[in-house]
């Protein structure tokens, strides 16, 4: 399991920071998410080291995993945050984030999103349309404040990733064309309350080649040159988004951000001292630092296959159903047996897409055995839902040899929180 950070077998039991996961399960039961915060901090450090030659801020993309203790340790490590909504902003602030290191991104910022961002004094807003620039200007000038905008360029490059997680092509909803950016820059002096600080792009997720970044950077640099005289940009900000690919399979490769850093230094030349670089990694910091542990509810032989029915479903981990994503699956107890069975590993939700893997080799398992779905730290819990009225799974973080319940299992009562059933007199009669 070389690709899964922070989890290893000791005495045939899967552990995190030397804690046998079976100890944790005794209290939390399953399904449960478990994250190694040491692994997240190590990835953060590697990411920063890659860009050490530049004036660099890392803004962790909160949507990948918004667990509060995880955000807290990142804030303590002086990471910034990329928030996509006022809800993510609320979380980041609650976790102790420095507002001046927060960037608000997203294609559909609402008035409330923008107001909250301004009230918190966040560092930057990505702006993705002329309409958004006008709205930010209107709100900021009414508040007597100034917002720093990074205009998001749609660089029209194919990131070579899954269509659902690709965001940088001209037919995608994201970003502005270079021509739009030029015309906005020309009008910027007419927009009170905003100051254009630089340019941004985000190409998508799970990108394994540096080439799309190179193409997008070239496009961004040309656009920056065009608008620099209009704006007197002396210290532009360049935000290259996230998307750094990570492996979901044994012996898979990651995209080394160091290659992108070298490319940037090369493209910028002596200007590199004047530029502030922002990166927004999400998945690459957390994906392999988390697992989802689940118990086998039933083993169900069918005519040509054997179903392993787990107590975790697509409501807990949506990626296989949504993107056909693969997650490695391992038994919590390393089996001493040698029999391999090919299982169709499925969840309990009433959808055929509630399938984690087909014909997946595992040791022979029984009802009550536990397995870990690997690489579940990114877009796992954050995309979970209560579909089929299944409570949200608990989340555990592990750091320095101790574990902490970051989120309790959602009580059934909370499934009804905010709901307002008819009370007797109003109840309609059949
Ligand atoms: C989702 C997103 C990210 C993070 O992407 P990862 O693939 O998780 O690194 C960064 N920036 C923006 C604007 C995003 O929408």
């Amino acid at each position: 399991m070389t690709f899964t950070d922070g989890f290893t077998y000791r005495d045939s039991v899967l552990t995190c920071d030397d804690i046998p996961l079976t100890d944790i399960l005794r209290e939390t039961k399953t399904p449960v998410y478990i994250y190694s915060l040491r692994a997240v901090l190590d990835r953060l450090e590697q990411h920063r080291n890659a860009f050490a030659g530049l004036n660099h801020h890392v803004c962790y993309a909160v949507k990948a995993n918004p667990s509060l203790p995880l955000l807290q340790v990142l804030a303590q490590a002086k990471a910034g945050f990329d928030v996509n909504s006022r809800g993510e902003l609320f979380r980041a602030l609650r976790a102790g984030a420095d507002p001046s290191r927060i960037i608000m991104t997203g294609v559909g910022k609402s008035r409330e999103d923008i107001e909250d961002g301004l009230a918190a004094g966040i560092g930057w807003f990505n702006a993705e349309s002329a309409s958004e620039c006008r709205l930010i200007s209107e709100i900021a000038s009414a508040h007597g404040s100034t917002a720093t905008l990074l205009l998001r360029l749609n660089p029209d490059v194919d990131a070579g990733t899954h269509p659902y997680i690709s965001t940088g092509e001209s037919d995608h909803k994201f970003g502005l064309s270079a021509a739009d950016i030029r015309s906005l820059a020309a009008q910027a002096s007419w927009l009170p309350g905003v100051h254009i600080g630089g340019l941004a792009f985000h190409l998508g997720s799970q990108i394994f080649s540096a080439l799309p970044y190179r193409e997008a950077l070239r496009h961004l640099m040309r656009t920056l040159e065009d608008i620099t005289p209009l704006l007197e940009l002396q210290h532009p900000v360049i935000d290259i988004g996230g998307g750094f690919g990570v492996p979901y399979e044994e012996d898979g490769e990651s995209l080394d951000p160091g290659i992108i850093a070298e490319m940037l230094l090369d493209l910028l030349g002596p200007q590199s001292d004047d530029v502030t670089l922002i990166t927004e990694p999400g998945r690459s910091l957390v994906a392999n630092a988390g697992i989802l542990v689940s118990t086998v509810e039933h083993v169900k032989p069918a005519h040509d296959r054997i179903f392993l029915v787990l107590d975790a479903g697509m409501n807990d981990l949506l990626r296989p159903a949504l993107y056909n994503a693969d997650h490695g699956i391992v038994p919590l107890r390393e089996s001493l047996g040698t029999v391999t069975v090919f299982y169709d590993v499925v969840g309990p939700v009433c959808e055929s897409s509630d399938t984690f893997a087909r014909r997946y080799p595992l040791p022979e398992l029984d009802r009550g055995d536990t397995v870990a779905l690997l690489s579940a730290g990114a877009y796992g819990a954050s995309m979970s839902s209560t579909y089929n009225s299944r409570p949200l799974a608990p989340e555990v973080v592990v750091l320095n040899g101790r574990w902490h319940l970051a989120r309790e299992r959602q009580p059934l009562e909370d499934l009804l929180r905010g709901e307002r059933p008819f009370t007797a007199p109003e109840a309609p009669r059949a």
Side-chain angles (χ1 to χ4, degrees):
M1 297 203 307
T2 48
F3 61 100
T4 292
D5 302 336
F7 297 89
T8 45
Y9 284 106
R10 294 261 151 80
D11 300 327
S12 297
V13 175
L14 200 59
T15 64
C16 182
D17 261 16
D18 281 336
I19 303 173
L21 300 189
T22 40
D23 286 4
I24 298 175
L25 299 191
R26 259 199 299 281
E27 293 186 39
T28 64
K29 309 290 187 280
T30 60
V32 56
Y33 276 99
I34 302 177
Y35 311 125
S36 164
L37 296 187
R38 170 54 45 210
V40 174
L41 291 171
D42 287 350
R43 291 290 168 188
L44 173 69
E45 192 181 324
Q46 283 169 12
H47 185 89
R48 279 183 163 149
N49 287 344
F51 293 100
L54 289 137
N55 307 316
H56 171 229
H57 294 312
V58 55
C59 291
Y60 166 67
V62 171
K63 73 177 188 283
N65 186 328
S67 175
L68 279 173
L70 190 151
L71 300 185
Q72 283 175 309
V73 298
L74 289 174
Q76 273 160 20
K78 305 241 177 295
F81 294 92
D82 159 11
V83 299
N84 254 279
S85 67
R86 60 196 291 250
E88 288 187 352
L89 175 62
F90 175 67
R91 275 182 178 277
L93 294 173
R94 201 44 85 77
D98 173 355
S100 71
R101 296 287 173 90
I102 293 179
I103 181 163
M104 183 175 277
T105 62
V107 71
K109 291 176 209 70
S110 67
R111 175 175 288 277
E112 291 75 17
D113 290 329
I114 296 164
E115 281 174 351
D116 286 5
L118 285 168
I122 66 169
W124 312 273
F125 287 87
N126 265 5
E128 302 211 15
S129 61
S131 155
E132 205 171 59
C133 293
R134 286 193 296 272
L135 184 62
I136 297 173
S137 162
E138 180 196 315
I139 299 171
S141 47
H143 284 233
S145 50
T146 304
T148 300
L149 303 187
L150 305 182
L151 301 179
R152 177 163 170 183
L153 172 70
N154 182 320
D156 196 16
V157 302
D158 178 358
T161 184
H162 188 286
Y164 287 10
I165 51 175
S166 171
T167 55
E169 292 172 63
S170 60
D171 57 349
H172 291 145
K173 67 180 176 183
F174 301 98
L176 291 149
S177 70
D180 289 340
I181 286 180
R182 279 193 290 272
S183 84
L184 269 172
Q187 300 163 39
S189 53
W190 301 97
L191 287 174
V194 300
H195 148 252
I196 294 176
L199 297 179
F201 62 72
H202 170 69
L203 302 177
S205 206
Q206 273 303 67
I207 303 168
F208 288 95
S209 160
L211 291 177
Y213 287 93
R214 175 190 288 277
E215 228 183 289
L217 267 170
R218 287 214 174 111
H219 199 157
L220 181 143
M221 301 283 294
R222 275 198 302 274
T223 314
L224 195 59
E225 260 166 49
D226 289 349
I227 65 169
T228 296
L230 298 169
L231 299 173
E232 297 170 35
L233 267 178
Q234 269 145 21
H235 297 287
V237 177
I238 294 179
D239 170 1
I240 63 168
F244 312 101
V246 296
Y248 280 77
E249 70 287 338
E250 195 109 29
D251 305 323
E253 302 263 307
S254 321
L255 173 62
D256 174 8
I259 300 175
I260 294 162
E262 269 170 42
M263 226 161 61
L264 256 165
L265 283 167
D266 194 43
L267 280 171
L268 289 169
Q271 290 174 66
S272 72
D273 285 344
D274 299 327
V275 167
T276 298
L277 174 72
I278 294 177
T279 57
E280 302 165 351
R283 190 191 305 273
S284 58
L285 301 191
V286 296
N288 282 320
I291 62 175
L292 172 61
V293 181
S294 181
T295 302
V296 176
E297 290 283 15
H298 302 286
V299 181
K300 177 180 166 178
H303 74 285
D304 63 345
R305 63 193 69 206
I306 305 176
F307 289 105
L308 202 62
V309 186
L310 302 183
D311 67 355
M314 64 187 284
N315 70 298
D316 301 301
L317 179 61
L318 185 61
R319 300 184 66 257
L322 186 62
Y323 309 132
N324 249 322
D326 291 320
H327 287 264
I329 305 172
V330 298
L332 224 64
R333 289 176 191 281
E334 229 174 359
S335 168
L336 304 173
T338 50
V339 182
T340 296
V341 181
F342 289 82
Y343 290 109
D344 277 26
V345 184
V346 302
V349 171
C350 301
E351 301 280 342
S352 293
S353 59
D354 187 24
T355 297
F356 293 118
R358 289 178 210 282
R359 316 275 159 152
Y360 196 88
L362 282 163
E364 191 168 12
L365 293 166
D366 261 330
R367 173 172 163 69
D369 286 339
T370 38
V371 295
L373 293 148
L374 305 178
S375 316
Y379 306 104
S382 69
M383 281 190 168
S384 64
S385 75
T386 57
Y387 184 43
N388 275 210
S389 287
R390 288 165 46 81
L392 296 176
E395 293 173 85
V396 164
V397 293
V398 178
L399 185 63
N400 300 332
R402 304 166 79 102
W403 67 274
H404 168 78
L405 186 63
R407 165 185 230 147
E408 62 174 12
R409 185 177 310 285
Q410 189 176 31
L412 281 186
E413 267 305 318
D414 280 16
L415 282 177
L416 304 185
R417 175 174 290 192
E419 292 197 34
R420 303 171 67 178
F422 284 126
T423 52
E426 313 167 357
R429 282 171 212 283

